[in-house]
Amino acid sequence: MILCDIGNSFFHFYRSGRIWKEPLKRPSIVDISEQILFISVNEKGTEKLKFYRPDAIDLAPFLKLDTLYTGLGVDRVAACMAIEDGVIVDAGSAITVDIMQKGIHLGGFILPGLNAYKDCYASISKALKKDIAPNISLHCLPQSTEEAISYGTIKSVVLTLEDAVKTKNSYFTGGDGKFFSKFFEKSIYDETLVFKGMQKAIEQIR
């Protein structure tokens, strides 16, 4: 059995403890005969997978979460299902933040991902078209445009996350999850979080 999380930029696959990703074109996985169970936040990605593997099963209808939040993405639902208590941060194309307490989803919010911040600055002025340096110090005032952009981006995200996390345990996943997790003492980085939620849903329907 292969699990697939279709995101905004990539197919993310999981099998027997191994995770890998492929661009949203013809994935190599379609040539494998194993059953594929998937969730998706990308309609075109879903169509692409189903074109090559019409037998792939959409797991979304089987993911259940106690929440009042309307329109919660299925990937966020899956990640939240994996955690009973704590703050879940999925730092990918967007940075999603969700708070779980005793198995109940209290709510959450969304921030732009690092690449989205970068594109935003570039759209303001060509002079602001700079890469974001992950090693920027947040304890010293920037002394160049490059430092200023990196500082403004990273510190705004970290301070917002700190306000949500406070003394709670925090769980990070996604492409930039490991980077942001280092700013929090009680943090755990787990790249399998979404897949753990999918596995929980599979166990519940068996």
Side-chain angles (χ1 to χ4, degrees):
M1 180 177 67
I2 296 172
L3 302 182
C4 177
D5 172 21
I6 306 175
N8 292 308
S9 303
F10 293 95
F11 290 102
H12 299 268
F13 295 105
Y14 175 89
R15 179 176 59 186
S16 302
R18 176 180 171 242
I19 293 177
W20 72 99
K21 66 181 182 180
E22 298 185 22
L24 293 176
K25 52 184 180 180
R26 186 183 187 278
S28 63
I29 202 71
V30 300
D31 297 320
I32 297 177
S33 61
E34 290 179 64
Q35 179 66 66
I36 297 176
L37 292 88
F38 73 93
I39 59 172
S40 175
V41 296
N42 186 321
E43 186 176 344
K44 289 185 177 180
T46 302
E47 292 174 356
K48 182 75 72 172
L49 178 65
K50 293 291 285 185
F51 176 79
Y52 292 108
R53 287 296 300 269
D55 61 327
I57 298 174
D58 186 355
L59 200 56
F62 304 100
L63 271 61
K64 307 295 180 184
L65 186 67
D66 189 351
T67 183
L68 296 176
Y69 191 113
T70 57
L72 192 66
V74 67
D75 54 342
R76 293 171 68 186
V77 172
C80 287
M81 286 180 64
I83 301 297
E84 283 287 313
D85 289 278
V87 179
I88 298 103
V89 180
D90 190 343
S93 301
I95 301 170
T96 61
V97 183
D98 293 285
I99 300 175
M100 293 292 293
Q101 182 176 302
K102 296 181 180 179
I104 298 173
H105 179 253
L106 301 185
F109 55 91
I110 304 172
L111 296 168
L114 291 183
N115 283 333
Y117 272 98
K118 178 181 174 181
D119 293 342
C120 178
Y121 281 113
S123 71
I124 296 171
S125 168
K126 290 182 179 179
L128 301 181
K129 188 176 181 180
K130 308 290 183 182
D131 289 330
I132 295 173
N135 59 346
I136 187 73
S137 172
L138 301 185
H139 305 293
C140 303
L141 282 175
Q143 300 299 320
S144 68
T145 300
E146 290 87 345
E147 290 181 356
I149 288 173
S150 298
Y151 181 98
T153 297
I154 296 171
K155 191 156 189 175
S156 63
V157 174
V158 170
L159 289 178
T160 303
L161 293 180
E162 285 180 347
D163 185 62
V165 172
K166 295 186 173 70
T167 60
K168 305 179 188 71
N169 290 327
S170 54
Y171 301 84
F172 288 76
T173 192
D176 292 316
K178 191 171 187 178
F179 166 71
F180 283 114
S181 69
K182 71 180 184 181
F183 293 99
F184 298 86
E185 286 187 12
K186 292 185 177 181
S187 69
I188 296 173
Y189 173 68
D190 186 351
E191 62 180 343
T192 68
L193 212 55
V194 170
F195 296 114
K196 284 180 177 177
M198 294 174 69
Q199 289 175 319
K200 185 175 181 180
I202 292 169
E203 291 169 1
Q204 290 174 346
I205 60 179
R206 280 178 173 172

